[in-house]
Amino acid sequence: MTLLTGLDYASVLVFALTGALAASRSQLDVVGFIFIACLTAVGGGTLRDAILNREVFWVADPVVLAVATLAAVLVFFTAHRLESRYRALLWFDAFALAVAVPAGVAVALAEGKGWPVVLVMGMITGCMGGLMRDVVCNEVPLVLKQGELYVTCAFAGALGAVGAGHAGLETGVALLICAALVFTLRAGSIAFGWRLPVYKSQPPSSGAPKR
């Protein structure tokens, strides 16, 4: 198994778990679990491959759909044992993001793309599956939650990988740096409330302007 294949499998597995957890919160049936799990698991990678005009990874290797399906069925029968399914979803999603961003970076590097494309592919692979999951389940997307570090984590991780590559480090080391940056920032946002400043509108002043 190549590094690219391993990253895609790991990303599919963990994102499928988050999709199934989201389905449990929406109280869907087992088919709904499988649909949301597969959508979440392959959404980002599908968009990445379509943009790069390469064979979509799950078309080339349909076994990844079986992995996502098994993850969905597992969660269907065990989710009720979790004390907080939302908390579990957050942490699984953080780990999935830390795997999917390096997967996107690795694919773009393997395709010989320049650093701007590498950054965007890392962010797309990491963020789009979760965005699809939350929209379909009628949840406020984690990507768009006020001040939440999410896309920022993906961008920082991909940028770290690009920087490591330019510094002459091996691809494997650059991807580890990417994963570490993504998970550290996302975990800090979940556990310690790390946030970005948010826009606050100023109400218009009443009365005539002072001269």
Side-chain angles (χ1 to χ4, degrees), residues 97 101-102 105 115-116 118-124 126-127 149-163 177-178 181-182 185 196:
L97 187 67
V101 175
V105 167
W115 67 265
V118 172
L119 291 180
V120 174
M121 290 304 106
M123 290 188 289
I124 284 176
C127 299
L149 296 184
Y150 199 99
V151 178
T152 305
C153 306
F155 175 77
L159 187 62
V162 169
I177 291 171
C178 175
L181 282 171
V182 173
L185 290 173
L196 290 176

Side-chain angles (χ1 to χ4, degrees), residues 10-153:
S11 174
V12 162
L13 173 61
V14 189
F15 261 133
L17 293 173
T18 73
L21 285 169
S24 74
R25 285 167 48 80
S26 298
Q27 297 183 319
L28 302 182
D29 59 26
V30 67
V31 175
F33 270 65
I34 294 170
F35 174 76
I36 299 298
C38 289
L39 176 69
T40 310
V42 304
T46 299
L47 185 57
R48 171 200 70 203
D49 292 344
I51 291 172
L52 292 177
N53 197 29
R54 66 193 295 268
E55 187 176 16
V56 177
F57 75 106
W58 58 265
V59 175
D61 183 13
V63 174
V64 298
L65 296 177
V67 171
T69 298
L70 289 174
V73 173
L74 174 66
V75 173
F76 182 81
F77 288 107
T78 60
H80 65 279
R81 297 178 179 273
L82 295 172
E83 184 176 343
S84 171
R85 283 171 288 170
Y86 184 69
R87 195 73 180 167
L89 188 157
L90 286 178
W91 283 105
F92 275 122
D93 186 84
F95 182 69
L97 187 67
V99 176
V101 175
V105 167
V107 168
L109 289 174
E111 293 288 320
K113 302 302 181 182
W115 67 265
V117 177
V118 172
L119 291 180
V120 174
M121 290 304 106
M123 290 188 289
I124 284 176
T125 309
C127 299
M128 292 308 296
L131 178 62
M132 295 175 188
R133 172 198 67 212
D134 294 339
V135 169
V136 171
C137 290
N138 200 29
E139 298 271 0
V140 177
L142 290 176
V143 174
L144 301 177
K145 283 215 168 172
Q146 191 180 62
E148 193 101 7
L149 296 184
Y150 199 99
V151 178
T152 305
C153 306

